[in-house]
Amino acid sequence: MWRPIYTVFLRSHTSCRRSFAAALLNVSRHRANANVFHFSHSAGLSARTCKALQFRKHGDPCKVIQLEDVDLPPIGANDVLVKMLAAPINPSDINMIQDYEDPLSNTVFAGTYAILPDLPAVAGNEGVAQVVEVGSQVKSFKIGDWVIPRDAGLAGTWRTEAVLAESDVISVPNDIPLLSAATLGVNPCTAFRMLSDFGDLKPGDSVIQNAANSGVGQAVIQISAARGIQTINIVRDRPQFTQLSDSLKAIGATYVIREEALRQPEIKELLKNCPKPKLALNGVGGKSATEILRHLQVGGSMVTYGGMAKQPVTVPVTYVFLNFLQSALIFKDLKVRGFWVTQWKRDHSHDERIFRSMLDELCSLIQQGKLTAPTCAEVGLQDYNKALDSAMQPFISTKQVLIM
């Protein structure tokens, strides 16, 4: 999903390395059955372990990811022991694992994402877990609570159990659907912030987006519909286009059109019945980004959150349209921005209220049936290779979710 960065990656700072991968600790569990855990807190016994999907080098995820027993330290006074329930496979997870060879320099770069965990690392950035034990000083959680990572850019959720610092997780209601909770921390938060922070959108306004069938795209559709905002949703042409269009309209999409239609009369007819968009959301890059940019109204903004096409975003200073020379940046005063939800969370880490407020609003939409999880395929942890292979196929709208 993300465009490769062809420079040396900076390892995440100390707080990053306290990742879900490093913070997820504890417990050697020998199960008498699926619901009973046996813990040993006696000194001198063998190290506690959990099952985890780990990689020791970057490369093809299907080749470098292995299901292993991972040693886990004991619970600290400010830690919580959790059982992972479900964790999705997101494009950013794949990017953290992959390597990339620059054809110009023949240099192989480790990972194609802006932050990388230290190796060996447990993969996965997102998921939901249930608290099964709390440290002596923990005040925020009790046994039975559901929690998700505060920082979605940290790795380590593809595992069965974990010990997390109390400050590294945040609670979510345990009465929402499991798949909604497992996929809450990245895509819905990205959609929510872009719709809230990059323009004064009011009921009746419109938003145009590419990658409309992605996890972010589906969340944009549903949050917009709940706010009375129209959406113009662009997807790549495919044999099942009608089926995809119908499914997006079923969750609230106003219009669904093929990328090719952005240069055809179809879009002009559409804009006669819909106000020109104030906001464009770009998860693709390349020509697709340029096309949605040119349909913005004067003063509008395009926000780029991904680059699935792995092509640069090109912003024309001038272009010819209907025989008039126009300037995207000068005469139309368009704004071109970027957004990364991980950075947003770090920038607001000092104020829990704004993050809490966003999660509460999203969970309220879920409880009202106005925000559902993207189409998901539930896959057992043992079948991780099947899930990884499916997640990397083109034209796939189904999110693979590992069930622990």
Side-chain angles (χ1 to χ4, degrees):
M1 176 174 180
W2 300 92
R3 185 179 173 218
I5 300 174
Y6 306 140
T7 55
V8 175
F9 290 104
L10 296 177
R11 295 281 178 180
S12 50
H13 46 67
T14 302
S15 66
C16 288
R17 286 199 288 260
R18 283 187 66 211
S19 64
F20 228 44
L24 299 176
L25 333 170
N26 198 321
V27 72
S28 160
R29 297 199 181 131
H30 304 290
R31 300 182 178 179
N33 59 54
N35 298 313
V36 178
F37 303 98
H38 298 274
F39 304 100
S40 174
H41 295 280
S42 302
L45 296 182
S46 59
R48 301 163 183 162
T49 64
C50 76
K51 292 290 185 182
L53 295 179
Q54 188 165 239
F55 61 107
R56 299 177 180 278
K57 63 180 181 179
H58 294 280
D60 180 348
C62 292
K63 295 180 180 179
V64 300
I65 288 288
Q66 299 292 327
L67 182 61
E68 300 178 356
D69 291 323
V70 175
D71 292 337
L72 303 172
I75 307 170
N78 297 303
D79 295 334
V80 292
L81 170 66
V82 301
K83 175 185 179 345
M84 291 302 304
L85 301 176
I89 299 177
N90 291 321
S92 56
D93 301 324
I94 299 297
N95 293 159
M96 283 188 176
I97 302 166
Q98 291 171 319
D99 56 19
Y100 174 78
E101 183 174 355
D102 180 5
L104 297 179
S105 64
N106 293 322
T107 301
V108 176
F109 294 97
T112 59
Y113 201 65
I115 57 173
L116 299 175
D118 292 328
L119 300 182
V122 177
N125 290 287
E126 185 182 27
V128 63
Q130 184 175 43
V131 175
V132 296
E133 189 174 338
V134 298
S136 60
Q137 301 298 316
V138 171
K139 305 297 182 185
S140 304
F141 307 108
K142 63 182 183 303
I143 293 173
D145 285 349
W146 281 12
V147 295
I148 64 174
R150 287 180 179 273
D151 191 337
L154 306 182
T157 57
W158 298 355
R159 59 195 300 153
T160 55
E161 295 91 30
V163 168
L164 312 171
E166 179 182 17
S167 59
D168 283 344
V169 291
I170 190 166
S171 64
V172 296
N174 59 11
D175 62 350
I176 63 176
L178 177 66
L179 295 179
S180 293
T183 58
L184 177 62
V186 178
N187 293 333
C189 291
T190 297
F192 185 99
R193 294 265 54 101
M194 293 193 299
L195 290 169
S196 302
D197 299 345
F198 294 93
D200 183 21
L201 294 171
K202 296 180 173 60
D205 287 340
S206 71
V207 171
I208 188 170
Q209 65 165 342
N210 54 28
N213 58 312
S214 67
V216 171
Q218 293 180 54
V220 165
I221 289 169
Q222 295 177 85
I223 296 170
S224 296
R227 296 179 178 183
I229 298 167
Q230 302 182 67
T231 53
I232 303 170
N233 301 281
I234 315 303
V235 296
R236 291 181 295 175
D237 196 10
R238 64 196 67 206
Q240 301 83 20
F241 173 80
T242 300
Q243 179 182 351
L244 175 59
S245 175
D246 290 344
S247 68
L248 294 180
K249 288 179 179 178
I251 62 172
T254 316
Y255 305 98
V256 181
I257 64 175
R258 299 171 175 84
E259 278 192 348
E260 294 78 8
L262 286 171
R263 280 272 183 187
Q264 295 173 359
E266 180 179 345
I267 189 70
K268 300 174 191 176
E269 291 300 315
L270 183 156
L271 291 174
K272 290 179 181 179
N273 303 311
C274 176
K276 275 205 162 191
K278 284 185 176 180
L279 181 66
L281 304 177
N282 169 43
V284 177
K287 292 181 179 180
S288 178
T290 304
E291 289 301 319
I292 63 172
L293 176 74
R294 60 192 287 271
H295 291 293
L296 282 172
Q297 65 175 247
V298 172
S301 298
M302 182 175 77
V303 183
T304 292
Y305 65 92
M308 289 189 295
K310 299 182 180 179
Q311 295 173 355
V313 173
T314 302
V315 180
V317 175
T318 61
Y319 55 79
V320 176
F321 180 55
L322 295 179
N323 298 321
F324 289 96
L325 188 65
Q326 302 190 36
S327 171
L329 296 179
I330 301 171
F331 299 132
K332 293 190 71 176
D333 188 28
L334 299 185
K335 304 168 187 67
V336 180
R337 303 287 301 277
F339 181 76
W340 185 30
V341 72
T342 296
Q343 190 61 52
W344 182 91
K345 290 178 178 179
R346 292 175 184 172
D347 290 344
H348 295 83
S349 61
H350 61 285
D351 185 1
E352 181 179 340
R353 292 171 299 176
I354 189 170
F355 189 18
R356 180 77 267 168
S357 175
M358 174 175 64
L359 287 182
D360 287 347
E361 186 170 342
L362 289 170
C363 289
S364 177
L365 291 175
I366 293 170
Q367 291 164 334
Q368 296 173 57
K370 295 180 179 180
L371 177 62
T372 61
T375 303
C376 295
E378 301 179 41
V379 183
L381 188 65
Q382 297 284 346
D383 294 324
Y384 67 93
N385 265 322
K386 174 184 175 183
L388 286 169
D389 182 67
S390 296
M392 297 172 66
Q393 297 302 313
F395 298 107
I396 296 297
S397 300
T398 301
K399 184 172 291 294
Q400 303 296 307
V401 179
L402 298 167
I403 304 298
M404 311 307 175

